[in-house]
Amino acid sequence: MSIFQIVKETVTARQAVEHYGIRVNKNGMICCPFHNDRHPSMKVDKGFYCFACGAKGDVISFVSKLFCLTPLEAAKKLAEDFQVPIKKGGPKKGRALKKTGLPKRTLYQTEQKFEEWEKYCIRILSEYLHLLEKWKVLYAPKSQGEEWKDEFVEACHQLEKVNYYLDLLFNGELQDRIGFFIANGKDVEKIEKRMEKYRRKYDGETERSIRSEREDI
């Protein structure tokens, strides 16, 4: 398992909140540390959710926000503070793959394919991150009563997760990155298809808009 999985299975958001000196009332509520909260509006248990500002996530995202850390740094801090046993340092690629008993040529091809897959994931996730950041601004509601557009909702839900994925791919140990490939490889493919679908929709809307403008001239 990756450091992220181990920490989340070992430490709850409530345990972290109490460890870092935040008072939890009998209903499992706290004053949200992410906005000016005078009355407890955040529920903490395995994860956390603020009924006022909408902040939510797991124990790692809570510590990441609280101490302004990357998700990987937050996971390492939790592992250290709660004395969670984590294997230090993954094996070198060559050594890790040699244990499979594959021929050298096959090992080289496997390494090469994994590196190509990592580059592909980083490219797709980076493009998606930029698109989400654009959506969060472009489709943000202009008034309190305005209905939230799907793109804005998607941006709010996915931004943290995509940053989390990119941080792991850039900074994670080899075993964590291999774990990501096994657990989330299909997610990246779905994201690529999602972006292609949006581009087709956007290109179609742009073409109709241009045609309409020409007809009005």
Side-chain angles (χ1 to χ4, degrees):
M1 287 196 296
S2 72
I3 185 173
F4 299 100
Q5 293 169 305
I6 294 169
V7 167
K8 285 193 289 184
E9 287 187 7
T10 308
V11 187
T12 66
R14 177 163 184 158
Q15 288 172 321
V17 163
E18 292 174 329
H19 181 81
Y20 297 123
I22 300 174
R23 182 179 171 276
V24 183
N25 71 18
K26 62 182 180 181
N27 296 318
M29 302 291 291
I30 66 170
C31 287
C32 177
F34 308 128
H35 77 279
N36 186 20
D37 193 11
R38 296 182 180 180
H39 304 286
S41 59
M42 177 179 282
K43 177 74 173 178
V44 289
D45 192 4
K46 186 173 176 64
F48 69 95
Y49 179 75
C50 178
F51 294 95
C53 72
K56 63 179 181 178
D58 56 37
V59 63
I60 293 174
S61 55
F62 182 87
V63 172
S64 176
K65 287 174 179 286
L66 188 66
F67 295 104
C68 299
L69 302 172
T70 67
L72 183 61
E73 289 170 339
K76 288 180 176 178
K77 177 175 176 59
L78 283 160
E80 182 178 343
D81 293 347
F82 284 86
Q83 299 181 338
V84 179
I86 303 291
K87 287 184 179 179
K88 297 289 183 181
K92 297 289 184 183
K93 283 186 183 177
R95 262 188 320 189
L97 294 172
K98 277 177 190 174
K99 290 181 181 179
T100 61
L102 295 171
K104 281 187 177 180
R105 181 178 178 82
T106 308
L107 282 170
Y108 175 74
Q109 290 171 338
T110 303
E111 272 190 58
Q112 204 171 32
K113 283 183 179 178
F114 183 72
E115 287 176 359
E116 288 172 2
W117 176 84
E118 279 192 303
K119 289 177 184 176
Y120 158 78
C121 283
I122 289 170
R123 177 178 63 81
I124 295 299
L125 291 171
S126 297
E127 288 178 7
Y128 189 46
L129 180 66
H130 293 147
L131 188 61
L132 292 173
E133 289 171 341
K134 176 183 173 183
W135 285 355
K136 195 166 184 180
V137 175
L138 186 63
Y139 295 107
K142 303 296 187 293
S143 63
Q144 190 173 357
E146 184 181 342
E147 186 177 347
W148 288 12
K149 292 182 171 61
D150 291 341
E151 290 84 357
F152 178 74
V153 173
E154 184 174 342
C156 291
H157 286 169
Q158 299 289 354
L159 269 169
E160 187 175 336
K161 183 195 290 186
V162 175
N163 273 308
Y164 187 93
Y165 285 169
L166 283 168
D167 187 51
L168 188 150
L169 288 170
F170 279 120
N171 303 308
E173 301 288 355
L174 175 61
Q175 61 188 15
D176 295 327
R177 303 199 313 272
I178 292 173
F180 175 81
F181 168 71
I182 294 168
N184 304 103
K186 296 292 183 184
D187 290 345
V188 178
E189 293 176 6
K190 288 177 183 176
I191 287 171
E192 183 178 30
K193 290 177 182 176
R194 170 77 181 97
M195 289 195 294
E196 287 174 1
K197 184 179 178 181
Y198 172 77
R199 288 190 185 110
R200 287 197 298 270
K201 175 186 171 185
Y202 178 78
D203 290 344
E205 288 176 353
T206 303
E207 187 178 336
R208 284 193 295 273
S209 177
I210 292 171
R211 193 183 303 127
S212 177
E213 287 177 6
R214 284 175 180 169
E215 288 172 355
D216 291 340
I217 295 175

